[in-house]
Amino acid sequence: HLGKLHLLAIMDDRSRFIVKARWFRSDRAHHVLRVLRDAFDACGLPNGMLSDNGSQFKNVQGDTNTTRYYRLLCLLDVKPIFHRPRHPEAKGKLERWFGFVQSSFIPDARKALDDNPSMDLEAFNKMFQEWLEWYNHRHEHSSLDGTAPAKVYLEHPRRIQRDLHATIDWDKWIGIFETRKVTKQ
C-alpha cells in the first residue's frame, strides 16, 4: 500500500558505516539533498562524495556544475566524484549493501506491512532506522573481520572529521523547483 519506494543512502567507504539512509516515494534531487543535510549535520563533512550518474546528481547532458547537488558540495568544499558510466564496480560496496537490505530488512518489513496495513511512510522509516541501528552497531561484518561498521567508522585512527561550520539555508537548497511546459490553452 506504500507504493514504489526509493532508498537513498550514504555509506562511508572504509567502514561500510551507513551515515544516513531513508526511504522516499521518489529519488528526486531534493530528497538527495535532505539526506546530505542530515548526514552532514550528524557526522560532519567528507573530503569527497562518490555518486552515480543519475539526473539528481548530474545533468543528462553531462554538465555537472549546474545541479544543486554539485553546487552544494562545492560550496561546502566536498569534492564531487562521479563513477564511470557502465562501471558498477565503482559503487560495489553500496550495491552489495542494497542487496543485504533486500535480503535482511525487506522480508521483515513486508511482514510488518501485512500485519499493519495502515502503516505510513514515516512509520516504515522508523522501523528501518531501528534496523539500521542494528546494522551499524551490532552486525558483525565479514569484510571487517567480524567488527561492526560503527566501531571501524568511529574508532579508526585516521578517521577524517570535518565539522559543518558553514551557515547553509537548507530550505533554499532543498526546495522543490519544477519546470513545466505549457501551451496557450
Side-chain angles (χ1 to χ4, degrees):
H1 67 274
L2 290 176
K4 183 177 180 180
L5 297 178
H6 299 265
L7 176 59
L8 299 176
I10 298 174
M11 173 188 275
D12 175 64
D13 187 59
R14 174 182 284 139
S15 65
R16 279 99 163 154
F17 180 80
I18 304 301
V19 179
K20 277 297 169 195
R22 186 173 173 87
W23 294 89
F24 294 96
R25 296 197 189 280
S26 75
D27 61 353
R28 304 230 358 233
H30 62 279
H31 294 312
V32 171
L33 296 178
R34 282 181 62 192
V35 172
L36 282 178
R37 175 196 61 196
D38 295 346
F40 295 164
D41 282 346
C43 297
L45 299 172
N47 285 336
M49 293 280 299
L50 174 67
S51 67
D52 64 20
N53 294 292
S55 61
Q56 62 273 55
F57 307 110
K58 197 174 189 180
N59 284 341
V60 221
Q61 294 84 6
D63 183 18
T64 56
N65 60 0
T66 59
T67 63
R68 286 187 285 169
Y69 170 82
Y70 182 89
R71 291 191 328 256
L72 177 65
L73 291 183
C74 289
L75 175 72
L76 297 173
D77 193 30
V78 175
K79 182 179 181 182
I81 306 165
F82 300 97
H83 75 76
R84 234 174 40 233
R86 292 173 296 283
H87 193 267
E89 296 85 1
K91 56 183 183 126
K93 291 175 191 170
L94 189 59
E95 292 297 338
R96 280 191 298 280
W97 180 77
F98 281 126
F100 185 66
V101 170
Q102 286 287 335
S103 65
S104 178
F105 171 73
I106 295 296
D108 293 338
R110 283 197 175 124
K111 182 176 179 346
L113 285 168
D114 288 343
D115 293 345
N116 183 7
S118 63
M119 182 185 289
D120 62 1
L121 185 57
E122 189 66 33
F124 185 80
N125 269 311
K126 185 177 185 299
M127 182 175 60
F128 179 67
Q129 292 307 314
E130 291 168 3
W131 179 88
L132 195 57
E133 174 74 17
W134 166 83
Y135 171 82
N136 277 336
H137 295 277
R138 293 185 303 283
H139 171 63
E140 296 176 355
H141 203 291
S142 61
S143 297
L144 302 172
D145 297 325
T147 305
K151 183 167 177 57
V152 176
Y153 178 74
L154 297 170
E155 298 176 12
H156 197 279
R158 293 187 316 218
R159 178 174 180 238
I160 297 167
Q161 178 68 32
R162 294 181 1 165
D163 292 330
L164 175 63
H165 294 294
T167 304
I168 300 291
D169 180 3
W170 287 107
D171 292 335
K172 172 187 150 194
W173 288 96
I174 296 175
I176 301 171
F177 300 100
E178 291 188 80
T179 304
R180 301 173 79 189
K181 188 174 182 176
V182 296
T183 64
K184 288 193 281 186
Q185 292 77 25

